[in-house]
Structure formats: C-alpha cells, structure tokens
Amino acid sequence: MLAKKFRLQIREWRPAKIFTKKSEYFSVKTSSNNLSVSRFGTIVSSKIFKSSVKRNRLKRIFFDFIRLNGLHLAGGRDVLLIFFPPVAKLTKKEIEKELEKHVKSIS
C-alpha cells in the first residue's frame, strides 16, 4: 500500500482542470497540484464486484503498481483511476499491463 501522503482523498478532490484518458477497462483522470508529491486515488464500484474483498484486491493491485514502479515519487500530479465492469474478467498480469499503457504515459 502507498503511504497516506500519496493517497488522494477523492471526496475532497475538486480540480479546476482535468485531463482524462479512457480505455475499455478504466478511466484515468489527472490534474496538477501544488505539492511536491503525486497523489493517487481509485474508485471501484460495487457493480464490478459485489464482494468488498475483490474490490479491495483491485485497489491493492493499482497501489502496488504505483509503488513498485516509483510513480509516486514524481511530484505535482493528482491521479484518479475509475475502474469499469470489464476489468472483472482480467487477471492481475493483464490489469498491470493495461495500467502500464495508460498510467505511465500520464504520470
């Protein structure tokens, strides 16, 4: 898991300008912030998985991907990832491959 200072408080996130990139499996929304660190947040609807255990697993996959690739060390970005229902059919490796395509290009 990422440290708390690297996590985005989604309820408080109201950026003025948002850049969005969509794929079949998720949408990545970014905005700049005036901090020295990047913050990351994720939304996994109960429409994707009814079980909170499975929803939290998806969040862990995302946060571990960010931490292991060092994307949280680059400063000045807020990144919000919103998962779509087709992601439920993917394996962990496939999810990481899709994340690599989209999140690294934005961060």
Side-chain angles (χ1 to χ4, degrees), residues 26-85:
F26 47 78
S27 173
V28 181
K29 296 185 177 198
T30 62
S31 69
S32 60
N33 65 25
N34 296 327
L35 304 173
S36 61
V37 296
S38 289
R39 299 181 301 180
F40 297 88
T42 182
I43 297 175
V44 183
S45 170
S46 60
K47 291 180 183 179
I48 297 172
F49 290 115
K50 296 295 180 194
S51 168
S52 62
V53 173
K54 292 179 181 178
R55 290 193 305 270
N56 289 335
R57 180 180 169 273
L58 254 181
K59 291 179 184 182
R60 276 195 309 276
I61 290 171
F62 173 65
F63 287 125
D64 285 343
F65 174 81
I66 298 299
R67 183 180 53 85
L68 294 174
N69 289 297
L71 299 176
H72 62 290
L73 300 175
R77 307 289 294 164
D78 285 342
V79 180
L80 177 64
L81 183 82
I82 302 170
F83 286 101
F84 297 143

